Amino acid sequence: RARGAGGAGRCGLGGRCGRRALLACAAWTAGWVLAAALLLRAHPGVPSERCTDEKSRRILAALCQDYRGGTLGGDLCEDLCEAGQLRYRRCLYYERGKKVLQADWRGRPVVLKSKEEAFSSFPPLGLLDGQPEAGGQDLPEAELLVLAAGEARSALGLEPAEGGLGRLGLARRGPRRRGQLASLWALLQQEEFVLLSLLRGRSPHAPPVLGSCGHFYAVEHLAAGSPGHRALFPLGPDGGRRGQARAVSGVALSFLDMVRHFDHDFAHRLHLCDVKPENFAIRSDFTVVAIDVDMAFFEPKMREILEQNCTRDEDCNFFDCFSKCDLRAHRCGAQRANSNLQVVCDKIFRHWFSSPRGTSVVSGPLRGQLRAAVQECAAPGAQGAPRVLGRLRSLLQAALWELRDSEEPRPGGEEPSAQGSSP
């Protein structure tokens, strides 16, 4: 009490301590508001809304009504609302406001996404206030680019690359420009749309945005992985144990390519904080595609998310992205302590290569080396990522060569059944 009274005496002049305490409290609160918002967006423990065809059709009907009224626009609206070239097929999932629907676009399966159900849920573009229904023609492109860059910076934590926003179509003019700008503004509030738009044409491991209508954007439909699949992903025709083992080795090599690509091929490292089969898909050539990047962050945003208050290391875990708690400062380090490679090894590769029966068609010595390399890679605090990645790549390539060299015709042209075995 004596120390408290003395402190009050020293702080009494002008209430400086009170203001400092208020500022400290505000800083603490702001940090946790960011973390809480991200947790609420993606925490698996929060129940999801029931996904129904009836509600999905109502959502798209409301979208088209707004399009016909000039409230919104987009290059897919005509096909969706008038021409019948973009047809709803089924509801994939609803999750904390996010709506994900499957559709056919001119015979091509696509996925329609928005993080909110209604267009009115997004803050309006202030520049359009007072503009007539057919207005927006004279809004200066430079001012629009500044605003768009600000939204992209907020979503990504960094300045978009020069020319990167030009592909969003800010310069387009026409009778529906007001609705198109309002729609683009709603899309810029969605981190995944911004990230995929800026990665378009720059990454084989991210699906390109194909178009949009209002606040919904379309990407190609790819069959996602699932823990229910024996090999985690649908890998095409069985092809026997050797065929499955070849497919798994090819997919594993593509995962390694993706990790290296996200670590080194952009101005900032791209961190994957939610690694699970459901968030990836496999193309027919075994290329891995990250189909859900709501929890992917470039380095500046990652540091902002991790650098929070803490009392122990566990407070610094943001899904699959970990940091360390400085117990003297009670702050999480801004530097991520684990890596994309470590998480992929732990949550994907262990399923394939850690079981003694895994890759059973590969020779014993090579199987043992693969198992040991995956265990080393997946271990918490694993060091020497480039060396481990290189070793895994060499072993997987050796497995592919061994499988190809050992192929011989069998009586009846069939390989032994793969049922009950891991690839």
Side-chain angles (χ1 to χ4, degrees):
R1 288 178 184 170
R3 283 197 302 272
R10 287 192 298 271
C11 294
L13 296 175
R16 288 190 297 271
C17 288
R19 285 195 296 272
R20 285 199 296 269
L22 184 61
L23 288 171
C25 180
W28 179 289
T29 303
W32 283 109
V33 163
L34 170 66
L38 290 162
L39 285 168
L40 286 172
R41 182 177 73 182
H43 198 286
V46 179
S48 297
E49 183 184 355
R50 185 164 174 250
C51 189
T52 68
D53 286 334
E54 181 184 0
K55 181 165 184 178
S56 300
R57 292 182 188 279
R58 283 204 311 266
I59 291 170
L60 295 182
L63 187 74
C64 287
Q65 183 176 353
D66 284 344
Y67 167 67
R68 295 183 184 110
T71 303
L72 56 81
D75 51 2
L76 294 182
C77 289
E78 187 68 19
D79 279 356
L80 174 66
C81 303
E82 306 298 343
Q85 296 289 331
L86 179 56
R87 295 180 177 273
Y88 170 82
R89 287 300 176 217
R90 65 188 179 109
C91 182
L92 294 178
Y93 65 89
Y94 300 160
E95 193 168 30
R96 286 162 297 280
K98 184 176 183 179
K99 302 294 184 285
V100 182
L101 318 174
Q102 185 178 339
D104 285 342
W105 181 39
R106 303 188 179 195
R108 177 182 185 179
V110 298
V111 175
L112 299 174
K113 292 184 171 187
S114 174
K115 77 172 187 179
E116 299 288 351
E117 175 180 324
F119 185 69
S120 58
S121 299
F122 294 91
L125 176 59
L127 281 179
L128 294 175
D129 289 347
Q131 291 278 337
E133 187 174 305
Q137 305 297 329
D138 299 326
L139 291 177
E141 184 182 348
E143 191 169 351
L144 291 170
L145 280 170
V146 168
L147 288 171
E151 288 301 310
R153 184 169 55 249
S154 174
L156 303 178
L158 50 82
E159 294 286 350
E162 184 177 352
L165 293 173
R167 66 190 68 199
L168 297 179
L170 290 169
R172 294 177 193 154
R173 282 173 165 74
R176 293 186 177 272
R177 181 164 169 77
R178 189 186 195 283
Q180 289 168 349
L181 290 176
S183 299
L184 178 57
W185 191 246
L187 292 168
L188 286 171
Q189 317 297 312
Q190 304 183 56
E191 295 88 345
E192 184 178 66
F193 170 82
V194 176
L195 178 59
L196 293 179
S197 295
L198 295 181
L199 290 181
R200 184 176 180 180
R202 300 176 182 175
S203 175
H205 299 289
V209 174
L210 303 174
S212 63
C213 179
H215 54 305
F216 275 86
Y217 56 98
V219 297
E220 64 181 316
H221 177 265
L222 296 167
S226 167
H229 286 297
R230 184 169 58 87
L232 295 182
F233 299 95
L235 299 177
D238 192 326
R241 287 186 299 164
R242 280 185 174 79
Q244 285 286 292
R246 282 195 304 271
V248 164
S249 297
V251 171
L253 282 168
S254 186
F255 264 109
L256 295 181
D257 286 340
M258 181 190 71
V259 165
R260 183 208 57 76
H261 173 59
F262 287 166
D263 280 356
H264 300 294
D265 287 355
F266 305 111
H268 298 277
R269 179 169 294 178
L270 183 60
H271 295 272
L272 302 175
C273 294
D274 192 12
V275 174
K276 57 187 179 184
E278 301 95 308
N279 288 344
F280 299 92
I282 310 300
R283 296 191 190 278
S284 58
D285 63 355
F286 299 141
T287 297
V288 174
V289 181
I291 57 173
D292 189 330
V293 292
D294 277 336
M295 299 289 286
F297 307 99
F298 283 113
E299 180 73 23
K301 189 76 171 183
M302 186 81 265
R303 295 175 71 88
E304 180 185 338
I305 291 169
L306 290 176
E307 200 171 19
Q308 306 296 331
N309 298 297
C310 63
T311 57
R312 54 181 184 164
D313 282 346
E314 288 76 9
D315 295 335
C316 304
N317 294 353
F318 184 77
F319 297 86
D320 292 327
C321 295
F322 304 157
S323 178
K324 295 287 186 182
C325 183
D326 182 335
L327 295 178
R328 291 173 299 179
H330 296 290
R331 292 287 286 177
C332 299
Q335 185 71 36
R336 184 181 175 186
N338 63 344
S339 68
N340 290 338
L341 177 62
Q342 188 267 327
V343 180
V344 166
C345 284
D346 183 36
K347 302 185 84 172
I348 305 293
F349 286 8
R350 274 189 192 275
H351 179 89
W352 290 331
F353 304 114
S354 288
S355 166
R357 295 173 60 197
T359 57
S360 59
V361 295
V362 176
S363 65
L366 182 53
R367 188 164 66 245
Q369 291 177 66
L370 262 172
R371 186 163 62 248
V374 167
Q375 289 171 346
E376 178 187 2
C377 171
Q383 300 297 317
R387 176 187 60 80
V388 174
L389 190 149
R391 176 164 173 72
L392 279 169
R393 185 189 301 279
S394 296
L395 290 170
L396 289 166
Q397 288 171 336
L400 279 175
W401 282 112
E402 184 176 291
L403 288 164
R404 288 167 182 158
D405 290 346
S406 65
E407 284 180 346
E408 294 179 3
R410 294 178 175 272
E414 297 288 337
E415 287 190 271
S417 171
Q419 285 194 354
S421 299
S422 298

